[in-house]
Amino acid sequence: MAMNAQGRPTRADAATAPGPTFTGNRALQIEESLIFEREFGGTGVDLPEPKAKDRLGSMKRQSPLNLPGLSEPEAMRHYVRLSQKNYAIDMGPFPLGSCTMKHNPRLNEKMARLPGFADIHPLQPQSTVQGALELVHELADWLLELTGMPAVAMSPKAGAHGELCGMMAIKAALDARGETGRTRVLAPESAHGTNPATAAQCGFSVDDIPADETGRVDLSALKAKLGPDVAAIMVTNPNTCGLFERDIRAIADAVHEAGGYFYCDGANFNAIAGKVRPGDLGVDAMHINLHKTFSTPHGGGGPGSGPVVLSAALAPFAPVPYVVKEEGRYQLVETRRAAREDGENMHGGRLTAFHGQMGMFVRALSYMLSHGGDGIRQAAEDAVLNANYVLARLKSEMTPAFPGHCMHEALFDDSFLKGTGVETIDFAKGMIDEGYHPMTMYFPLVVHGAMLIEPTESESKQELDLFCDALLSIARRANAGDASLKGAPYFAPRRRLDETAAARNPVLRWTPTASVRAAE
Amino acid sequence: MKKYTEDHEWVSVEGDTATIGITEHAAGQLGDVVFVELPAVGTKFKQKGEMAVVESVKAASDVYAPVSGEVVAVNQAIADDPAKVNADPEGASWFVKIKLSSRSELDRLMDEASYRKLIG
Amino acid sequence: MRYLPLSAEDRRAMLKTIGVRSIDDLFVDVPREALNAKIDLPRHRGELEVERLLGAMAAKNRPAGAGPFFVGAGAYRHHVPASVDHIIQRSEFLTSYTPYQPEIAQGTLQYLFEFQTQVAALLGMEVANASMYDGSTACAEAALMARRVTKRGRVVVSGGLHPHYAAVVRTNSELAGDTVSIRPLDVEGEEDLAAQIDANTSCVIVQNPDVFGNLRDFTPLAKSCAENGTLLIVVVTEAVSLGAVKSPGEMGADIAVGEGQSIGVPLNFGGPHVGLFATRQKYVRQMPGRLCGATVDAEGKRGFVLTLSTREQHIRRDKATSNICTNSGLCALAFTAHMTLLGEVGLRRMSLLSHEAACKAADALSSVPGVRLATPRFFNEFTLRLSANAAEIVEALASKGVLGGVPGGRLWPNDSEAEDLLIVAATECTTDADIADYAHALSEVL
């Protein structure tokens, strides 16, 4: 034979891993400095120098900006390297309870970028944006049909902004009735922090409603707290424990009987969309997080969109602007005066410049048109099915916070960790090393060491099985006394970060002398 | 004389001056204290009024006045270095000194034994 | 359904594991009469059909890029590099959540830290937060913050503030129990705001360039505010101006807020945009919104976390500085990526090119008979006084393919003094041909 000993070895040799690398990089994990830690002075955009002398006079900027400009290759590399330090839904399960991290269809992105939607100005003549107004109107119709409510305010910019809109409408309605003595708002202890914060922003005081032993509103305790000074209750349904408020009709009736309104936090509408209409449950106002239920992306914390559906009693108190259709033409009603000429008693003020999150509206309608009424219902059913499957698979090793089935999210407490030395946070950080984003931890506040798992309908059974097996293995490690969980994560771009130091000595921007240590 | 409240403040009285702080138990539960907001000298408080704020990374808590009175001194050292609250909550890291306006309010507070029992 | 991975067989097997017979056994807590309500909506559709439906709606709108375009008043058409849109569509940015788990969210956190640094520098302030919904809500939050800092209850609003912003301030501050004094329309920028300050005034809110385009130096007003313990809030709705025009910080602002849309974010028919919020270091604990801070990890490596969260609703609940939760993360990324490409050099050029285009447009349009330039000192936006109703002229121009600006009647429908005003903006996207077309069309319709 003709011997050929040239070429590369093809067998994998097992060798001991070396210490830290020279660069600090670890193969695909590349350390990236701040843009400010580079040479200043350049630009990555080719713009000509202006020819004419400016007419700014004494209004010219005096001080330098000291901001670097990077060439396009440098900038791309900077942001791509940064992106690789993030976990994302597109990489794996992101079971953050209450946050609804479902798949973000790319068709929605494509549609939102059509110049007819992205490149139009909010103050163009209305005759030149009829298609945009049609889209807002069409989306509003879908929301009304899905919720069974008679009116919707489209301009709120996010869920909390929607809460503000709804609570403002309630306050305005009470004022119109001359009932200014209603100053108290009731909300369960398990509520999202935005509920009490919103109520306070509207000038109401906030009073807790206790939960019963099944994790739901304690109806008799609620009734005892109702009175002539109660403006409204704010109840999330399904609630933040992942449970449907089975007394919801009785709750609504009791509040209405006492002369108050029922604000429903619709953050968990994804569990029931297409199955149950909040309008059939006695709701007066409810915001819908388009970025949760209708999958406009979360984008690392926004932008969101929070339209608010309103009952007939509150509809006259919606804010401007809103879209009406008259004789085949869409009209944007932008002022109170114009609103009154419409014969309506619009009371609400303006919540934001312009007309709301158009870019999110396009994405949400694209999602709805794609799913259809049947797909929206199926999505809700699959979300509930997936959560219950996780609950069923995990309850052998982990401790559900409440007995029975759940809706779209499964809540566990930390009693299965008792005596192990491992806490909820360690368990969560252990999930990171297994390749998962942790579940929501330490919320809701009513459950000790809470772990709230929301798989959403986007996970396949195969993905869920591996996920459950991984969580069970972490639970077993904890129970076997595996102290290594206390130091997790080990394989992430960073180990646990010192939040105490960050808060005691806040460094909130780069400065040439800031005590920000460079990556080692 | 040292007394305690159900909200985990302690008050130590000498003459008509009451020194107030948060208990060791409270400091432990809060975790690493990162921020303390103190009232201005001269501010008057009613018993149970919100007097100061103490924050850890995960929580913010109001500190209530255990007794009514006027603030005569504040402990700037803990505002400058909040970690001191964890180090010596019932000693050097007192919050405020107030001039008592009603000694009888002290009777409604707990003694050490009752407080120990409360926190189990 | 292409978005749902479970098969019918999966569903059966999973129900069995759960121990129920049908999906509705999991909905047992829903009142029976409310379950499976009849919902009258069309069935699911394929991508092609959805594209057709939405494409048809989009086609009915006239995009800014389709011809001469001079609309501004709070949203501006600037060129955005292609790489910016690519960056914000990276899965790791687009499909991630608020960075509550910092070990696997350093990408988001680091760009927020860079964003905060850039925003603070642009506005000339000490600290900036990680963004608000938009400029108008940032402005309203600034008024509420001034209330917390000063413990006073009266807000004075300049007649040169964008009327939508003024309305949002009124909505929020009145809700909090404050009085809001909105000064009359001030086309020439000559109002005396210092005279409006009283002992209960928490803040004065002004805008530069103002809504009419006037460049206004608020340095003397800042002094009056400081003497009275009143905070000066300076609003910037055209962020690109900051590359060439005196910043709020240089004038002595206590809080500076802005609309960041001009840098990196498309017009989007008004949203999403990105609110900028900056202030003095000493007020940082009274700020609304998220803040990103630097720290180290367990191995001593630099990293970033959300910090000072005890101000926020998820911890402070009814005592939070604001109810805001979701902000404008991805638009903040677009802003910071575009700003990183521009740098100081590029921003200054973009800024001066916009100014230059506006100067040319003002010269050309004010020489049309029946047109008078009402705001002689401007950056990239100016106001014309027309010899006819501006809203009608704008419609007539639109039918000739020119989007000529924002008529005063659109912004101040209750003020007849505004009817003949036309607010006109130009940017680096505006060409000489656009200006010539506009001047020609205007001379035809006036």
Side-chain angles (χ1 to χ4, degrees):
Chain A
M1 65 184 288
M3 281 285 289
N4 184 357
Q6 298 301 311
R8 60 191 172 89
T10 54
R11 204 177 273 173
D13 260 332
T16 316
T21 57
F22 174 76
T23 53
N25 299 336
R26 279 169 289 182
L28 298 183
Q29 280 181 34
I30 298 177
E31 294 295 321
E32 181 63 4
S33 60
L34 291 162
I35 53 169
F36 313 106
E37 292 158 350
R38 294 164 185 261
E39 267 184 50
F40 282 35
T43 180
V45 179
D46 289 328
L47 288 167
E49 278 291 341
K51 292 185 210 77
K53 189 177 165 346
D54 71 72
R55 303 179 193 171
L56 299 171
S58 64
M59 284 303 289
K60 215 166 175 168
R61 187 171 185 122
Q62 306 296 314
S63 52
L65 281 164
N66 284 328
L67 292 176
L70 272 54
S71 67
E72 183 169 314
E74 290 174 291
M76 281 309 293
R77 200 170 271 174
H78 177 70
Y79 289 105
V80 170
R81 284 177 177 173
L82 288 188
S83 75
Q84 291 178 327
K85 300 175 195 304
N86 269 6
Y87 193 85
I89 316 164
D90 285 349
M91 297 163 66
F94 208 127
L96 266 183
S98 213
C99 302
T100 312
M101 298 298 283
K102 59 168 75 174
H103 173 65
N104 300 131
R106 290 313 193 274
L107 173 64
N108 306 354
E109 295 300 312
K110 184 179 176 185
M111 293 298 97
R113 284 172 171 76
L114 291 173
F117 295 134
D119 193 27
I120 54 173
H121 192 287
L123 298 175
Q124 278 180 224
Q126 294 189 19
S127 58
T128 66
V129 289
Q130 283 294 300
L133 297 177
E134 180 186 350
L135 184 135
V136 178
H137 197 263
E138 177 75 9
L139 176 63
D141 276 350
W142 277 74
L143 294 175
L144 296 180
E145 182 63 28
L146 284 167
T147 57
M149 300 284 282
V152 59
M154 297 297 287
S155 70
K157 297 248 158 189
H161 208 216
E163 288 179 33
L164 191 63
C165 175
M167 293 307 287
M168 269 171 47
I170 287 172
K171 189 164 182 137
L174 290 170
D175 285 352
R177 278 163 39 184
E179 296 198 46
T180 49
R182 292 187 179 268
T183 55
R184 202 153 55 93
V185 166
L186 307 180
E189 293 166 79
S190 60
H192 295 114
T194 49
N195 294 177
T198 302
Q201 209 160 323
C202 293
F204 295 117
S205 65
V206 186
D207 203 353
D208 285 339
I209 312 170
D212 66 15
E213 68 284 355
T214 74
R216 294 169 176 85
V217 167
D218 184 330
L219 185 60
S220 55
L222 166 68
K223 283 182 175 164
K225 291 215 170 194
L226 287 170
D229 63 335
V230 169
I233 54 161
M234 297 182 85
V235 171
T236 309
N237 191 35
N239 69 22
T240 59
C241 300
L243 304 169
F244 195 91
E245 293 288 351
R246 59 170 78 104
D247 293 328
I248 192 78
R249 285 259 26 153
I251 292 170
D253 290 346
V255 171
H256 290 151
E257 221 162 276
Y261 292 98
F262 177 9
Y263 187 91
C264 182
D265 180 330
N268 295 336
F269 184 51
N270 59 305
I272 57 170
K275 288 284 284 183
V276 184
R277 301 188 306 173
D280 295 336
L281 303 174
V283 168
D284 290 300
M286 182 181 91
H287 71 265
I288 300 162
N289 306 71
L290 298 185
H291 48 294
K292 294 181 178 177
T293 302
F294 300 111
S295 184
T296 73
H298 280 81
S305 182
V308 179
V309 289
L310 298 166
S311 63
L314 294 182
F317 306 101
V320 289
Y322 57 93
V323 178
V324 294
K325 188 178 181 184
E326 280 165 356
E327 294 163 14
R329 191 177 175 279
Y330 296 93
Q331 200 203 336
L332 186 69
V333 181
E334 290 180 288
T335 69
R336 292 189 194 193
R337 189 186 65 171
R340 275 202 291 271
E341 280 169 2
D342 268 10
E344 287 182 57
N345 174 28
M346 296 295 292
H347 190 96
R350 178 177 274 279
L351 279 170
T352 173
F354 314 134
H355 335 307
Q357 305 283 64
M358 181 67 176
M360 305 296 118
F361 297 164
V362 180
R363 289 171 176 88
L365 188 59
S366 174
Y367 176 97
M368 291 179 181
L369 292 171
S370 294
H371 280 78
D374 56 326
I376 290 171
R377 174 180 293 201
Q378 187 68 59
E381 290 180 353
D382 283 359
V384 170
L385 182 64
N386 276 354
N388 277 284
Y389 184 68
V390 168
L391 180 64
R393 290 263 350 251
L394 296 182
K395 68 183 173 196
S396 60
E397 306 271 348
M398 294 169 61
T399 39
F402 299 104
H405 302 304
C406 62
M407 295 297 285
H408 63 299
E409 52 196 357
L411 178 62
F412 297 87
D413 63 24
D414 62 358
S415 50
F416 71 102
L417 295 173
K418 207 166 187 182
T420 64
V422 172
E423 295 172 58
T424 293
I425 190 165
D426 309 317
F427 190 96
K429 301 296 184 192
M431 287 172 67
I432 292 176
D433 279 338
E434 293 289 350
Y436 296 108
H437 194 283
M439 71 302 247
T440 292
M441 53 183 197
Y442 301 102
F443 180 86
L445 307 174
V446 292
V447 167
H448 199 268
M451 303 178 204
L452 186 62
I453 302 177
E454 179 178 8
T456 83
E457 71 277 13
S458 304
E459 299 305 331
S460 68
K461 178 170 180 293
Q462 190 179 5
E463 192 79 69
L464 286 181
D465 278 328
L466 184 60
F467 172 78
C468 291
D469 290 341
L471 263 62
L472 292 171
S473 83
I474 299 171
R476 281 193 289 268
R477 277 168 61 197
N479 277 299
D482 182 348
S484 73
L485 284 168
K486 300 295 288 183
Y490 298 92
F491 309 124
R494 283 290 178 272
R495 300 286 302 279
R496 281 191 213 188
L497 289 132
D498 189 345
E499 295 185 67
T500 300
R504 278 183 182 160
N505 175 30
V507 177
L508 306 175
R509 65 179 290 191
W510 179 85
T511 57
T513 54
S515 60
V516 180
R517 261 186 270 174
E520 282 159 23
Chain B
M1 176 177 54
K2 195 167 177 184
K3 291 269 198 164
Y4 295 82
T5 71
E6 289 168 4
D7 299 311
H8 311 288
E9 293 96 8
W10 56 264
V11 52
S12 163
V13 181
E14 268 178 59
D16 62 355
T17 303
T19 305
I20 296 164
I22 66 168
T23 65
E24 218 164 309
H25 172 75
Q29 291 290 307
L30 274 171
D32 292 340
V33 173
V34 298
F35 179 70
V36 177
E37 186 183 309
L38 297 170
V41 170
T43 317
K44 288 182 179 142
F45 290 100
K46 284 217 160 71
Q47 191 176 29
K48 296 205 168 171
E50 290 168 12
M51 186 183 71
V53 178
V54 56
E55 293 184 10
S56 64
V57 170
K58 62 178 183 183
S61 309
D62 292 317
V63 179
Y64 303 110
V67 285
S68 308
E70 181 179 334
V71 177
V72 293
V74 297
N75 189 356
Q76 191 56 38
I78 60 168
D80 295 340
D81 182 7
K84 289 198 163 112
V85 175
N86 293 108
D88 190 10
E90 300 202 24
S93 300
W94 54 273
F95 277 52
V96 300
K97 290 181 192 286
I98 67 181
K99 189 163 174 279
L100 276 176
S101 54
S102 162
R103 285 194 78 88
S104 63
E105 286 173 353
L106 289 165
D107 301 341
R108 285 177 241 159
L109 304 180
M110 282 177 278
D111 60 17
E112 185 170 349
S114 322
Y115 181 69
R116 296 267 162 252
K117 210 170 146 193
L118 174 81
I119 59 175
Chain C
M1 218 299 83
R2 62 188 178 276
Y3 300 133
L4 301 174
L6 297 184
S7 66
E9 194 181 322
D10 290 333
R11 292 185 182 112
R12 272 195 301 276
M14 292 164 80
L15 286 171
K16 203 173 157 202
T17 303
I18 296 163
V20 294
R21 286 218 312 273
S22 80
I23 186 73
D24 283 346
D25 291 346
L26 299 174
F27 285 83
V28 283
D29 291 330
V30 178
R32 272 186 82 104
E33 66 282 5
L35 187 63
N36 296 328
K38 182 163 165 23
I39 284 165
D40 185 19
L41 291 170
R43 287 179 58 78
H44 65 273
R45 291 181 172 95
E47 277 209 17
L48 181 59
E49 291 169 272
V50 176
E51 282 194 33
R52 269 191 204 125
L53 284 168
L54 291 173
M57 287 186 207
K60 291 177 196 163
N61 307 317
R62 196 291 211 173
F69 180 85
F70 294 85
V71 191
Y76 301 88
R77 177 167 183 263
H78 288 280
H79 183 258
V80 180
S83 51
V84 171
D85 196 43
H86 179 87
I87 288 164
I88 68 168
Q89 288 197 73
R90 290 278 310 184
S91 285
E92 301 91 330
F93 290 135
L94 186 77
T95 78
S96 60
Y97 194 71
T98 304
Y100 288 136
Q101 296 285 345
E103 299 88 351
I104 47 171
Q106 285 297 303
T108 298
L109 287 159
Q110 184 169 331
Y111 85 62
L112 289 177
F113 188 80
E114 293 175 345
F115 172 82
Q116 288 174 183
T117 305
Q118 289 169 329
V119 171
L122 283 164
L123 292 168
M125 305 297 289
E126 289 168 347
V127 287
N129 75 8
S131 84
M132 308 296 287
Y133 306 135
D134 67 2
S136 67
T137 56
C139 181
E141 290 274 12
L144 294 176
M145 176 172 146
R147 175 182 206 265
R148 291 191 293 275
V149 170
T150 63
K151 301 191 167 64
R152 297 180 185 177
R154 180 168 168 268
V155 178
V156 173
V157 176
S158 159
L161 181 68
H162 193 297
H164 287 179
Y165 283 52
V168 179
V169 168
R170 168 176 276 167
T171 300
N172 283 273
S173 288
E174 286 184 352
L175 209 52
D178 287 358
T179 56
V180 179
S181 165
I182 300 178
R183 306 306 303 155
L185 208 75
D186 180 36
V187 184
E188 272 83 30
E190 289 167 343
E191 63 194 343
D192 179 6
L193 289 165
Q196 298 299 321
I197 301 171
D198 67 15
N200 189 36
T201 305
S202 59
C203 59
V204 179
I205 308 179
V206 296
Q207 180 179 328
N208 182 54
D210 72 13
V211 67
F212 304 100
N214 293 299
L215 287 168
R216 295 174 65 173
D217 194 342
F218 295 111
T219 309
L221 179 63
K223 232 176 134 193
S224 304
C225 283
E227 282 162 12
N228 192 57
T230 297
L231 301 194
L232 178 65
I233 298 171
V234 178
V235 178
V236 177
T237 63
E238 167 54 298
V240 165
S241 71
L242 294 163
V245 171
K246 218 177 236 190
S247 69
E250 286 173 303
M251 298 185 204
D254 296 290
I255 306 174
V257 295
E259 173 52 67
Q261 172 270 328
S262 283
I263 300 178
V265 182
L267 290 167
N268 284 334
F269 198 46
H273 290 173
V274 51
L276 315 178
F277 195 110
T279 187
R280 300 179 189 276
Q281 178 78 41
K282 65 177 174 183
Y283 298 138
V284 70
R285 283 178 181 276
Q286 294 299 336
M287 275 179 107
R290 293 179 188 137
L291 281 167
C292 171
T295 186
V296 292
D297 79 353
E299 291 175 359
K301 286 183 181 168
R302 179 176 68 192
F304 303 91
V305 293
L306 292 178
T307 191
L308 304 183
S309 305
T310 43
R311 300 164 297 112
E312 294 181 70
Q313 48 77 25
H314 63 280
I315 293 179
R316 200 60 149 254
R317 298 175 82 82
D318 57 326
K319 288 183 179 166
T321 54
S322 165
N323 75 341
I324 191 168
C325 177
T326 297
N327 57 17
S328 205
L330 207 64
C331 297
L333 174 60
F335 179 101
T336 190
H338 191 186
M339 196 56 230
T340 296
L341 284 159
L342 285 165
E344 180 164 6
V345 176
L347 181 67
R348 188 177 48 79
R349 282 185 198 154
M350 189 161 148
S351 195
L352 290 173
L353 287 167
S354 298
H355 174 58
E356 190 179 61
C359 290
K360 285 182 190 169
D363 292 349
L365 298 174
S366 60
S367 62
V368 173
V371 179
R372 189 169 67 76
L373 179 64
T375 57
R377 200 158 63 138
F378 57 85
F379 167 64
N380 73 333
E381 191 160 24
F382 51 86
T383 296
L384 301 175
R385 223 177 252 287
L386 305 182
S387 57
N389 180 297
E392 288 164 17
I393 295 298
V394 164
E395 282 293 344
L397 286 167
S399 66
K400 289 181 171 295
V402 175
L403 296 184
V406 181
R410 179 93 187 249
L411 292 176
W412 295 274
N414 302 324
D415 198 333
S416 58
E417 207 210 314
E419 280 174 8
D420 60 351
L421 299 177
L422 179 58
I423 302 174
V424 180
T427 71
E428 79 288 351
C429 298
T430 312
T431 64
D432 290 350
D434 291 340
I435 294 168
D437 287 351
Y438 187 4
H440 180 70
L442 188 59
S443 66
E444 284 183 342
V445 300
L446 252 181

